[in-house]
Every structure is written in structure tokens, then in C-alpha cells.
Amino acid sequence: MNNEEFRQWSLRAAEWGADYRAGLPDRPVRPLVEPGDIFKSIEVSPPERAEPMDTIFADFEEKILPGMTHWQHPRFFAYFPANAAPVSVVAEYLVSAMAAQCMLWQTSPAATELETRVVDWMRQALGLPEGFSGVIQDSASSATLAAVLTMRERTLDWQGNKKGLSGQARLRIYSSDQVHTSIDRAIWVAGIGEDNLVRIPASGRFRAMDTTALEAAILADKKAGLLPAGIIACVGGTSTGGTDDIAGVAAIAKRHGLYLHVDAAWAGSAMICEEYRHFWAGAAFADSIVFNPHKWLGAQFDCSIQFLRDPESHVRTLAIKPEYLKTHGHDGIINYSEWSVPLGRRFRALKLWFLLRAYGLDNLRTMIRNHVAWSEGLAERIGGEPGFELVTEPMLSLFSFQHQAPPGVDPDEHNLRLVNAINDDGRIYLTQTRVNGRVAIRFQVGQFETTAADVDAAFGIITEIARTLT
């Protein structure tokens, strides 16, 4: 592809993207395909000779697009959002065109310095105090892994990376059962072992971990000769929005000298609104906090910010400095590859810079407030509808519900049939979870272009399809 062809196809791709976004309301949210349909449509062997772009693009539209779930659809109410505000997509065009490897200051000074600035913009926007610095990771999973590795190294007096875990006392990390499964993976990858992730019982409206039980578990482990290393607290858990008493947990962490990591991957975006900050009161005392602008805030995936109270411990855990990665003649510069597990890094700060400037915090706050209000209104309507029951009340814009099963029908089976029927219908997309062992249907409002009319339509669709199953 020469430069003129690159120009032509770049323009066509941009026009396609605008048309795609404009036409999303007319598409089913989830594709109406069976497992294997797309795989069988792709040629078995790679091409020996070059094919024209017209053919490739036509195959994309004919074979690939029909198998895509449309995460930017205004009636996407499943999981959590993975928003890509149009302005962030434009920024990603520029990032892809430059294709810079932003691992060191010298490999792209602007990428490093813009990252430092926009992370501090976000610190201010979320109401976190001065003293926190941070880094843009690819995802909350990577941020949590980095936090767990730092817990491990700090507890082992920085000998884990050098000597390994063999022969060391068993490390212990504490969380509720409401945290994301990325915490389990971080424990695995860090070599700590699943058996050493201590699950603290959760209860109450917000399913917070019991701080009395937390401290008792820490004391019991110390008495048994184990090594408590850290606590992972949750604000806005994936299942039903589980949210811990961060201030209470932080006090226990301080008392026992433990590293505290706060996972606010989804709910952290809402903290740009001052009235929601009570949900993470005490977060200023955490050692690290992660939130994902690529969820609710509108930055295209991937873009996850990890705030750090003591970046030196973090860098001491992760940094490797071979001669070929040194920047000679400059002291005190930041090389963000030393703040993350991967060496290679995308220019993630650009889309966040574009987004914050193009929308401003006022517009982003309005969007989040609308989503919360619409979700609360829908929860009230569903809770008052005959045959429906709220299982968990709204935590910000997330709640869950159940529909009453007909006589003789297992309630879990009935609610799974309902959520599958809703998704097969295609007009909205929901997901399920389990609360106290029983199936519940999740509903969250968070897609960037969702309107009140979309949420209202969801109520009609849910109740209409439920009637067909009774």
C-alpha cells in the first residue's frame, strides 16, 4: 500500500466508522450467529498472493461485522461499559498512524510527559490529594498484578524477585468475595497461590467486607506464623457493585503495616462527581488505586490509571535497567516501562487528553449523573412490577433483579431462560450473576450515547419477554 492508497483507505475507514456509529440503534446489540459460523467462513489457509483491498474490505463487512457484539450500542446494558467516545477514536487514529513505542522517555518524550500531566489531571478531577502520582496501565488486571507484586516484595524485604518464594513464609492477601476475578489471577501469577487469598465475609446493602472479621483473620495468620502482605478492597464490584468501607479497611492496613490496593475499575469514574465520593471515603490512605477511564469515562480501550502513593516501592518491584534501556545524560526522568509489567507501551495518554478537552468535566459529570438517575428510576419501576423483585438496589447505575418463576419451575432456570430470551431478541443486552447462590439479572446504564428513551425501552422489552415465559 503506497501513501496515496493509505490516504484513500484511511478516509474510507473513517467514513465507515462514522456510518457504523450512526446506524447502531438499528442493529441487534448481540450478533445472531451460532458458535463456529465465523470460523467456518474464513479461508482455511493463508493467501500466497496479495489480495486487493476492495476484496478484503468487502469480506470484513460480509463475514466479520455480522459476528460482532456492538459495545457502543446505546442499549448495551451488560457487563460494564467499554466506551469509546468519538473523540477518543480520532485520537487513536493518530496513535495508530504514528505507531510509536512509548516505553521510555527518549523513545517518545511527548508521550511520557503528557501521561504525567493527564494522570495528574485525573487525580484532581477525582478529588485525590496531592502526593499521588500514577501510570496508565493497559487494564485493571495489570494494575492489580503490579500492586500484588509490590505487596509481595515489600513484605519479603525485596527478596522475592531475587530468591523466589521457595523457603519463604507463606504470604497472605485479604479481600471479600466481591472482588473481580483479576485479583485471583494476580495471586496466581505472583506465585502466592490461591489458597493464600483469604476471603473475608461480606454483608449489608453494599456487600462490604466485615472489618472485624478482616482484622481477626490477620491476627490469626500472624499467630500461625504466616505473613500478611496486603489487602485488596473493592469499590463497585462487577457482580452487584460490592463496595467496602475503605476508611475502615485503611485503618486496619495501617495498624498492621499492610499494603492497601483499591479496585475501583468501574465506579472510580463516578468520583468526578463530588456527591459520589463518599463511596470511597478513605481512598486517600490507600497505597494504590486503579480505575478505568475506558469503562464509564469514554476513553477507548485500553486505558487504566493506577494511582500510587509511593511510586518508589512500585518501581523498585518492576524496574529492570539493562544498558540498552538507559537514557544517558538525563537524571530524574520517568520511564513508564519501569512502572508496568510489559516493556512495550502504547501512547494511551493522547486519547484521554483529547477526551477531557473535547468534553470537559462538566459534560462528563452530566452523563454519569444521568446514568445513575435513569438506573435508579428503572430499578424502582421493575421493583414495583408484579412478578419482579429487586435483588440488589442500585449502586450508582448498577442493580440486579429476578422474575418470579411459574409454579413447578426452578427459579434459577427460569431467570437464565429470561436473560437468554432477552439477549436472543437482540434489542437490548443484559448479563446474569449469582447473589447468595441464586441467579439474578444485572442491569447497568453506562454506554456513552444511551438516552432516557433507551432505558425506558428496556423496561418494556424486559416485561414483554417475561410475559412470554409465564
Side-chain angles (χ1 to χ4, degrees):
M1 180 180 286
N2 60 35
N3 199 57
E4 190 53 40
E5 290 170 326
F6 176 52
R7 182 187 306 277
Q8 172 193 342
W9 284 103
S10 295
L11 290 170
R12 183 164 172 184
E15 290 170 352
W16 182 91
D19 291 342
Y20 166 76
R21 297 289 286 258
L24 277 176
D26 300 324
R27 296 180 183 271
V29 188
R30 206 175 69 167
L32 306 177
V33 296
E34 296 296 326
D37 284 354
I38 311 304
F39 179 79
K40 287 182 287 189
S41 75
I42 307 299
E43 289 73 9
V44 173
S45 301
E48 293 290 342
R49 295 177 178 80
E51 300 180 63
M53 272 295 293
D54 282 316
T55 301
I56 299 169
F57 204 91
D59 280 351
F60 159 71
E61 293 186 300
E62 179 183 337
K63 298 179 179 181
I64 305 303
L65 188 60
M68 294 301 296
T69 296
H70 303 297
W71 284 70
Q72 306 312 309
H73 200 294
R75 293 190 298 277
F76 184 101
F77 302 117
Y79 303 105
F80 283 134
N83 284 320
V87 68
S88 79
V89 176
V90 172
E92 281 289 80
Y93 290 161
L94 306 180
V95 169
S96 295
M98 290 186 288
Q101 171 56 267
C102 304
M103 57 188 175
L104 308 172
W105 178 87
Q106 68 181 357
T107 61
S108 280
T112 295
E113 295 184 21
L114 184 63
E115 182 164 344
T116 303
R117 180 62 74 193
V118 297
V119 167
D120 192 64
W121 278 10
M122 286 310 315
R123 177 196 63 78
Q124 296 174 54
L126 299 176
L128 292 172
E130 290 186 13
F132 275 100
S133 53
V135 56
I136 303 179
Q137 306 279 20
D138 56 0
S139 66
S141 297
S142 291
T144 297
L145 174 59
V148 169
L149 290 169
T150 305
M151 293 177 191
R152 185 191 76 184
E153 289 306 294
R154 200 172 76 166
T155 305
L156 296 178
D157 195 26
W158 315 103
Q159 294 302 304
N161 283 338
K162 183 177 182 180
K163 297 181 179 178
L165 301 185
S166 178
Q168 305 275 14
R170 284 171 58 192
L171 298 174
R172 304 285 269 180
I173 293 175
Y174 308 85
S175 77
S176 78
D177 61 0
Q178 298 299 302
V179 296
H180 192 267
T181 53
S182 60
I183 279 75
D184 298 70
R185 289 190 177 186
I187 300 297
W188 298 348
V189 175
I192 293 170
E194 185 176 340
D195 288 348
N196 294 306
L197 176 59
V198 182
R199 302 287 194 178
I200 305 301
S203 62
R205 176 183 171 185
F206 295 110
R207 306 182 74 76
M209 78 167 95
D210 183 330
T211 52
T212 301
L214 170 64
E215 188 150 34
I218 293 168
L219 290 170
D221 283 345
K222 285 183 174 181
K223 186 175 181 180
L226 306 177
L227 277 181
I231 306 169
I232 299 175
C234 185
V235 179
T238 302
S239 178
T240 61
T243 297
D244 291 320
D245 170 9
I246 303 301
V249 173
I252 292 170
K254 181 178 180 181
R255 208 154 39 239
H256 295 278
L258 303 185
Y259 187 109
L260 173 60
H261 175 65
V262 174
D263 180 356
W266 161 64
S269 292
M271 304 309 154
I272 65 172
C273 304
E274 190 171 354
E275 66 268 29
Y276 301 136
R277 290 179 188 165
H278 64 91
F279 284 119
W280 75 354
F285 301 108
D287 294 282
S288 66
I289 304 166
V290 63
F291 96 104
N292 292 344
H294 68 233
K295 279 192 167 72
W296 207 352
L297 210 58
Q300 178 161 324
F301 185 84
D302 52 18
C303 184
S304 183
I305 294 181
Q306 183 177 12
F307 294 104
L308 297 160
R309 195 149 52 95
D310 175 23
E312 291 302 317
S313 293
H314 184 89
V315 173
R316 185 175 180 182
T317 299
L318 298 174
I320 297 178
K321 299 180 180 180
E323 185 65 30
Y324 57 80
L325 291 181
K326 292 180 181 177
T327 303
H328 293 285
H330 297 278
D331 293 324
I333 64 170
I334 295 175
N335 291 320
Y336 279 118
S337 61
E338 298 171 359
W339 297 49
S340 58
V341 174
L343 172 61
R345 305 189 81 249
R346 290 174 51 77
F347 187 3
R348 300 186 183 98
L350 191 68
K351 59 195 167 195
L352 194 52
W353 187 55
F354 269 53
L355 175 78
L356 291 172
R357 296 183 66 191
Y359 288 91
L361 291 173
D362 278 347
N363 284 321
L364 296 172
R365 290 187 189 108
T366 297
M367 175 194 69
I368 288 172
R369 286 167 176 151
N370 282 341
H371 290 172
V372 172
W374 297 339
S375 183
E376 289 174 344
L378 181 63
E380 185 176 353
R381 290 180 73 186
I382 287 180
E385 185 72 7
F388 284 88
E389 177 187 2
L390 280 187
V391 177
T392 57
E393 296 181 39
M395 161 56 186
L396 296 171
S397 66
L398 169 66
F399 68 92
S400 66
F401 65 92
Q402 291 170 337
H403 185 250
Q404 184 177 356
V409 177
D410 179 77
D412 287 355
E413 180 184 334
H414 174 72
N415 279 280
L416 287 173
R417 283 182 62 211
L418 175 56
V419 74
N420 288 331
I422 288 168
N423 293 336
D424 289 343
D425 173 81
R427 287 175 288 172
I428 64 174
Y429 186 19
L430 305 180
T431 44
Q432 74 284 343
T433 187
R434 284 187 179 268
V435 180
N436 298 327
R438 304 305 298 271
V439 170
I441 300 174
R442 297 171 72 258
F443 192 101
Q444 68 79 31
V445 184
Q447 205 287 321
F448 212 74
E449 293 169 348
T450 295
T451 66
D454 292 311
V455 178
D456 184 63
F459 175 79
I461 293 164
I462 291 167
T463 54
E464 169 197 327
I465 293 175
R467 284 193 294 269
T468 69
L469 300 181
T470 56

